[in-house]
């Protein structure tokens, strides 16, 4: 069975005290109220990783992730953070290829291929993001765009490596806009990505990979989206900053 995952990407939000408060609330609510086996991943800014890791303690339901990492092991890259550093702070996941990294920091699929490999070499699970902008969807080119993103960034991986990757389909037009893809649109693209994985690797490999949906997921729409057969959870931005909303999204799997 594929792992169900709900990951909260805090982006560049929360001071350390605010982040600790948010994480503590989520941890308590998840322990007390959640009745499913979904893995919850908290993804704060880099500098809060250790503080949040200490709060998570030995919780078996909650893991820690980072929002990015560099494609080199170490060196003269001022301001950057390596995969090994993230692991040393307790992270087990890293988001790679978020549309904001692609748009504002010029990250390309070629660069992301390097980052994905490096993360895997360091035993970090990449949450690889793909997804089309509005004009691409309106032109009907969304499948071909996602096909290219996945192929360029992931298809250099071996079968053993790809099994360790989580994919997040995040239509750019739905991120932070309040516009959610319909459950049908999400399912259609997730099934397309799974077919792509099956054609490149095998049906068995494709069926083992978790594919998350991201883009304005809220407590009100989470159940319908998560109930689609090829949707294995969500990457949540805005709603992950409110402990009650985030917990209610996780509870959509109950
Ligand atoms: C995201 O940034 O990955 C995201 C899905 O954001 P939001 O939930 O706010 O649309």
């Amino acid at each position: 069975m594929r792992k169900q995952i709900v990951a909260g990407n805090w982006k560049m939000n929360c001071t350390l005290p605010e982040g600790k408060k948010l994480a503590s609330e989520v941890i308590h609510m998840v322990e007390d109220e959640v009745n499913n086996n979904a893995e919850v991943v908290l993804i704060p800014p880099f500098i809060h990783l250790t503080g949040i890791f200490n709060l998570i303690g030995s919780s078996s339901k909650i893991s820690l992730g980072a929002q990015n990492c560099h494609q080199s092991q170490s060196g003269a890259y001022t301001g950057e953070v390596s995969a090994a550093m993230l692991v040393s702070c307790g992270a087990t996941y890293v988001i790679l290829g978020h549309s904001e990294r692609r748009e504002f920091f010029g990250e390309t699929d070629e660069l992301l291929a390097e980052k994905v490999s490096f993360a895997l070499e360091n035993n970090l699970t990449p949450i690889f993001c793909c997804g089309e902008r509005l004009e691409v969807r309106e032109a009907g080119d969304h499948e071909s765009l996602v096909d290219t993103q996945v192929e360029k960034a992931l298809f250099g991986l071996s079968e053993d490596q790809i099994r360790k990757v989580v994919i997040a389909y995040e239509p750019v037009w739905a991120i932070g806009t309040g516009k959610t893809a319909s459950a049908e649109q999400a399912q259609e693209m997730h099934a397309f990505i799974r077919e792509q994985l099956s054609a490149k690797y095998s049906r068995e490999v494709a069926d083992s990979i978790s594919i998350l949906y991201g883009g304005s997921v809220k407590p009100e729409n989470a159940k319908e989206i998560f109930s689609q057969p090829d949707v294995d959870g969500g990457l949540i931005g805005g709603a992950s900053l409110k402990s009650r909303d985030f917990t209610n999204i996780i509870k959509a799997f109950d």
Side-chain angles (χ1 to χ4, degrees), residues 44-117:
F46 290 139
I47 54 167
H48 302 346
L49 284 169
T50 303
I52 306 299
F53 180 66
N54 291 336
L55 290 174
I56 293 173
S58 57
S59 165
S60 58
K61 285 191 162 175
I62 305 185
S63 304
L64 187 68
Q67 299 175 17
N68 179 34
C69 70
H70 196 263
Q71 65 277 15
S72 309
Q73 199 62 17
S74 62
Y77 301 104
T78 302
E80 289 292 326
V81 173
S82 75
M85 290 172 192
L86 299 179
V87 171
S88 74
C89 294
T92 50
Y93 287 87
V94 62
I95 298 176
L96 292 174
H98 191 281
S99 62
E100 290 151 15
R101 299 290 319 170
R102 292 175 186 265
E103 182 177 351
F104 303 130
F105 301 95
E107 297 200 356
T108 61
D109 292 317
E110 290 74 13
L111 174 72
L112 293 168
E114 287 182 54
K115 291 193 175 199
V116 167
S117 291

Side-chain angles (χ1 to χ4, degrees), residues 3-189:
K3 212 189 248 188
Q4 294 174 323
I5 299 168
V6 181
N9 173 15
W10 295 3
K11 310 193 186 189
M12 197 177 74
N13 291 297
C14 296
T15 60
L16 182 57
E18 288 164 352
K20 283 183 168 175
K21 180 170 178 290
L22 172 60
S24 300
E25 288 169 4
V26 171
I27 291 163
H28 286 119
M29 288 180 192
V30 167
E31 293 298 337
D32 294 348
E33 301 174 24
V34 172
N35 297 310
N36 61 57
N37 291 319
E39 183 169 353
V40 177
V41 190
L42 300 182
I43 310 184
F46 290 139
I47 54 167
H48 302 346
L49 284 169
T50 303
I52 306 299
F53 180 66
N54 291 336
L55 290 174
I56 293 173
S58 57
S59 165
S60 58
K61 285 191 162 175
I62 305 185
S63 304
L64 187 68
Q67 299 175 17
N68 179 34
C69 70
H70 196 263
Q71 65 277 15
S72 309
Q73 199 62 17
S74 62
Y77 301 104
T78 302
E80 289 292 326
V81 173
S82 75
M85 290 172 192
L86 299 179
V87 171
S88 74
C89 294
T92 50
Y93 287 87
V94 62
I95 298 176
L96 292 174
H98 191 281
S99 62
E100 290 151 15
R101 299 290 319 170
R102 292 175 186 265
E103 182 177 351
F104 303 130
F105 301 95
E107 297 200 356
T108 61
D109 292 317
E110 290 74 13
L111 174 72
L112 293 168
E114 287 182 54
K115 291 193 175 199
V116 167
S117 291
F118 243 92
L120 288 168
E121 270 178 42
N122 285 278
N123 292 322
L124 270 180
T125 299
I127 302 178
F128 172 75
C129 300
C130 55
E132 78 286 357
R133 302 172 62 83
L134 184 60
E135 60 271 22
V136 174
R137 176 157 284 262
E138 284 175 348
D141 294 333
H142 43 292
E143 288 188 348
S144 119
L145 188 277
V146 169
D147 186 57
T148 305
Q149 290 177 327
V150 170
E151 192 201 319
K152 284 193 174 168
L154 300 183
F155 282 3
L157 299 175
S158 69
E159 190 178 308
D160 278 354
Q161 288 174 314
I162 193 85
R163 282 180 193 277
K164 296 179 187 141
V165 173
V166 171
I167 296 175
Y169 168 56
E170 299 207 304
V172 180
W173 46 272
I175 296 181
T177 58
K179 270 191 212 161
T180 319
S182 67
E184 293 71 32
Q185 285 172 319
Q187 167 56 26
E188 197 176 50
M189 184 61 91

Side-chain angles (χ1 to χ4, degrees), residues 232-244:
D232 305 306
L235 180 54
I236 319 298
S240 74
L241 297 172
K242 295 185 188 137
S243 53
R244 174 46 62 202

